[in-house]
Amino acid sequence: LWPGTKAFLLSPFMKSSAWRWVGDLKFQSFRSYSQIYPEYDYVFIGDNGQGDLYASELMEAYALESEDCDLRAVYIHQVQRRENELRKMTQ
């Protein structure tokens, strides 16, 4: 709860970058889960508003490097303008 609250309070000042550490936390959770259960396939569903897009890019990079992680798909719902997105990779 604290990461989201902190990001929400900082977002007027830091814009989308306030959600970076929330995205990092989502990625860390995914990585931990995929290491515990490497036999499963994964699908990530999120939006482009609160670190999900950033987290999904980290997940995709991790899945490409890892032999034990099978990320099958990522679905991102657009809820804000593209220019306001927090992205790891440039377009």
Side-chain angles (χ1 to χ4, degrees), residues 27-37:
F27 167 67
Q28 295 299 331
S29 296
F30 167 77
R31 187 173 68 182
S32 296
Y33 211 84
S34 69
Q35 289 172 346
I36 294 170
Y37 302 104

Side-chain angles (χ1 to χ4, degrees), residues 70-87:
D70 195 1
L71 181 63
R72 294 295 196 155
V74 171
Y75 298 98
I76 300 294
H77 180 233
Q78 185 175 352
V79 296
Q80 68 175 349
R81 294 175 173 242
R82 296 197 78 145
E83 61 267 12
N84 296 332
E85 293 176 342
L86 173 63
R87 298 181 63 93

Side-chain angles (χ1 to χ4, degrees), residues 15-84:
K15 303 295 181 203
S16 63
S17 65
W19 296 102
R20 183 174 309 279
W21 75 306
V22 175
D24 286 331
L25 182 62
K26 291 176 182 188
F27 167 67
Q28 295 299 331
S29 296
F30 167 77
R31 187 173 68 182
S32 296
Y33 211 84
S34 69
Q35 289 172 346
I36 294 170
Y37 302 104
E39 66 273 17
Y40 290 117
D41 298 338
Y42 295 92
V43 174
F44 182 73
I45 301 170
D47 60 48
N48 69 341
Q50 298 180 344
D52 290 346
L53 179 60
Y54 175 72
S56 72
E57 290 176 327
L58 294 175
M59 291 174 195
E60 289 174 335
Y62 173 74
L64 288 173
E65 295 173 1
S66 174
E67 294 179 9
D68 296 330
C69 179
D70 195 1
L71 181 63
R72 294 295 196 155
V74 171
Y75 298 98
I76 300 294
H77 180 233
Q78 185 175 352
V79 296
Q80 68 175 349
R81 294 175 173 242
R82 296 197 78 145
E83 61 267 12
N84 296 332

